[in-house]
């Protein structure tokens, strides 16, 4: 019996992962082995067959998980090895056009996305929920136009309004009011209206028409959501409670979270816009300009595809000299409310179910509101 105990003791003495009884001084537990009389003399007696085998196997196992630096290194290595065919592909006119549009959309939108993220984090951390209860009317039907007019104070584009609207919903603002703010802020703030006035120096009525049509559509969508919207369609991502963190730490944690979250969808939207812009024939626009109905529809679709920030879209609209003022107004109203990058960002902020319902309704109402306003004012 003592010889068998010695054999098992050798296996367990070298394995820190053995079961209790095979440690440094198992001899203090007399009577734990198969031979009670050998417990003190033989540390390994009473541990069973060979517990060291399992511990040794676990200790010598290797991990096959790839880390992010390793993946990045592999990608860069492949890019270096395939640089000749990559350089040839990027040198084609289609790819050059694609890269130009992608970089332009991303660079235009990124500063305002960061601005919106900062405002969103500030609202989430420093503004108490009771503030919104006091600032907005208690009745949602009245809160919608108030929130729509409040969009004039956000000096940014649509990329900034999405995260801010998400923060408003998380802070308890009625979704109808938050969505009215989401749609109006990119189109009626002072920077956008000033840019529109500069782009149309001989048509000041275009500034008035843009303000009126954008506010009308934003309020109409807010009221429509109040009447027909469902809570399970709107699923803004919940932020962690950040227990134990200071307000400053919570603020920067929120900034990092929203920047990575919304920034990824911005890149996806920019890629989609660049792809469609690179493959769409330019002759289609010239053909559509001759038909009033097609002109309105063409510029509405173009606004969605190009995904231009609202600070710059007025200059693009002014350059479309073949189109009527009403068609240009449609371009200016639709673009800040729904485009490819906005759809991607709304999907990431509020959920895919929301975006699939909200985007088509916004597109239709924006065209209708712009056409009605253009007919009256232009």
């Amino acid at each position: 019996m003592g010889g068998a105990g010695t054999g098992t003791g050798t296996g367990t003495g070298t394995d820190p992962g053995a079961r209790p009884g095979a440690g440094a001084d198992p001899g203090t537990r007399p009577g734990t082995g198969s031979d009670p009389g050998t417990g003190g003399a033989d540390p390994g007696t009473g541990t069973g067959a060979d517990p060291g085998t399992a511990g040794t196997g676990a200790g010598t196992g290797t991990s096959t998980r790839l880390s992010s630096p390793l993946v990045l290194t592999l990608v860069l290595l492949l890019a270096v090895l395939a640089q000749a065919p990559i350089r040839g592909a990027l040198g084609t006119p289609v790819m050059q056009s694609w890269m130009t549009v992608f970089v332009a959309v991303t660079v235009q939108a990124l500063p305002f996305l960061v601005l919106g993220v900062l405002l969103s984090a500030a609202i989430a951390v420093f503004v108490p929920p009771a503030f919104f209860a006091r600032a907005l009317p208690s009745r949602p039907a009245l809160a919608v136009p108030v929130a729509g007019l409040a969009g004039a104070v956000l000096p940014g584009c649509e990329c900034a309004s999405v995260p801010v609207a998400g923060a408003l919903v998380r802070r308890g603002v009625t979704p109808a009011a938050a969505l009215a703010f989401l749609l109006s802020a990119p189109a009626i703030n002072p920077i956008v209206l000033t840019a529109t006035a500069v782009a149309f120096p001989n048509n000041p009525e275009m500034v008035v028409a843009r303000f009126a049509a954008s506010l009308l559509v934003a309020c109409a969508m807010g009221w429509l959501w109040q009447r027909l919207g469902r809570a399970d369609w709107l699923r803004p991502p919940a932020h962690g409670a950040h227990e134990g963190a200071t307000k400053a730490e919570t603020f920067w944690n929120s900034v990092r979270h929203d920047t990575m979250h919304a920034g990824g969808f911005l890149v996806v939207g920019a890629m989609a816009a660049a792809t469609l812009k690179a493959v769409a024939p330019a002759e289609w626009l010239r053909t559509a300009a001759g038909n009033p109905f097609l002109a309105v529809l063409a510029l509405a679709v173009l606004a969605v595809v190009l995904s231009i920030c609202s600070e710059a879209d007025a200059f693009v609209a002014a350059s479309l000299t073949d189109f009527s003022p009403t068609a240009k107004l449609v371009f200016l109203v639709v673009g800040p409310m729904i485009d490819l990058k906005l759809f991607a960002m709304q999907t990431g902020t509020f959920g895919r179910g929301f975006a699939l319902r909200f985007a088509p309704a916004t597109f239709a109402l924006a065209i209708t509101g712009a056409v009605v306003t253009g007919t009256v004012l232009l």
Side-chain angles (χ1 to χ4, degrees), residues 284-328:
W284 291 1
L285 291 179
R286 290 193 291 267
T287 302
N291 186 301
F293 175 78
L294 289 180
V296 168
L297 186 60
L299 288 196
V301 173
L302 184 66
V304 174
V305 171
L306 290 183
S307 302
I308 303 173
C309 282
S310 54
E311 284 83 2
D313 61 358
F315 300 96
V316 176
S319 67
L320 301 172
T321 55
D322 295 334
F323 290 84
S324 66
T326 298
K328 296 177 183 178

Side-chain angles (χ1 to χ4, degrees), residues 103-134:
V103 172
V105 171
T106 305
V107 171
Q108 278 185 337
L110 191 58
F112 298 101
L113 172 65
V114 173
L115 172 63
V117 165
L118 292 174
L119 291 175
S120 171
I123 291 172
V125 176
F126 299 110
V127 179
F131 169 80
F132 300 106
R134 296 192 303 266

Side-chain angles (χ1 to χ4, degrees), residues 47-62:
T47 58
D50 190 2
T53 303
T56 304
T60 57
T62 57

Side-chain angles (χ1 to χ4, degrees), residues 21-342:
D25 189 15
T28 60
R29 302 175 57 197
T32 58
S34 59
D35 185 354
T38 62
D42 187 354
T45 305
T47 58
D50 190 2
T53 303
T56 304
T60 57
T62 57
S63 175
T64 58
R65 184 174 56 186
L66 293 177
S67 62
S68 298
L70 179 58
V71 172
L72 178 60
T73 302
L74 293 176
V75 171
L76 293 177
L77 180 60
L78 291 175
V80 171
L81 295 177
Q83 59 179 321
I86 291 176
R87 188 184 299 113
L90 295 179
T92 61
V94 172
M95 285 304 302
Q96 289 180 347
S97 175
W98 187 93
M99 288 188 294
T100 299
V101 175
F102 173 75
V103 172
V105 171
T106 305
V107 171
Q108 278 185 337
L110 191 58
F112 298 101
L113 172 65
V114 173
L115 172 63
V117 165
L118 292 174
L119 291 175
S120 171
I123 291 172
V125 176
F126 299 110
V127 179
F131 169 80
F132 300 106
R134 296 192 303 266
L136 292 175
S138 58
R139 295 181 58 186
L142 296 179
V144 166
V146 172
L149 287 171
V153 304
L154 179 65
C157 72
E158 57 271 23
C159 300
S161 64
V162 174
V164 173
L168 292 175
V169 173
R170 289 193 297 268
R171 300 300 280 178
V173 173
T174 176
L179 296 179
F181 175 89
L182 166 72
L183 296 178
S184 67
I188 68 172
N189 70 72
I191 295 178
V192 171
L193 295 180
T194 301
T196 306
V198 173
F200 294 90
N202 299 322
N203 298 292
E205 62 274 9
M206 184 65 76
V207 179
V208 178
R210 182 174 195 177
F211 177 89
S214 299
L215 184 59
L216 173 65
V217 174
C219 293
M221 280 301 301
W223 287 323
L224 183 64
W225 178 269
Q226 180 62 32
R227 185 168 183 83
L228 302 178
R230 289 166 44 182
D232 59 340
W233 293 348
L234 193 66
R235 297 180 180 179
H239 286 194
H242 305 292
E243 294 183 1
T246 65
K247 283 191 173 183
E249 292 172 342
T250 304
F251 174 81
W252 289 115
N253 289 338
S254 180
V255 168
R256 285 194 295 268
H257 174 275
D258 284 354
T259 299
M260 296 301 297
H261 193 265
F265 285 96
L266 170 62
V267 171
V268 171
M271 292 174 65
T275 301
L276 292 180
K277 176 65 172 63
V279 301
E283 292 78 9
W284 291 1
L285 291 179
R286 290 193 291 267
T287 302
N291 186 301
F293 175 78
L294 289 180
V296 168
L297 186 60
L299 288 196
V301 173
L302 184 66
V304 174
V305 171
L306 290 183
S307 302
I308 303 173
C309 282
S310 54
E311 284 83 2
D313 61 358
F315 300 96
V316 176
S319 67
L320 301 172
T321 55
D322 295 334
F323 290 84
S324 66
T326 298
K328 296 177 183 178
L329 179 62
V330 170
F331 181 87
L332 296 176
V333 174
V334 170
M337 294 189 175
I338 178 62
D339 58 29
L340 292 178
K341 71 176 186 298
L342 263 181

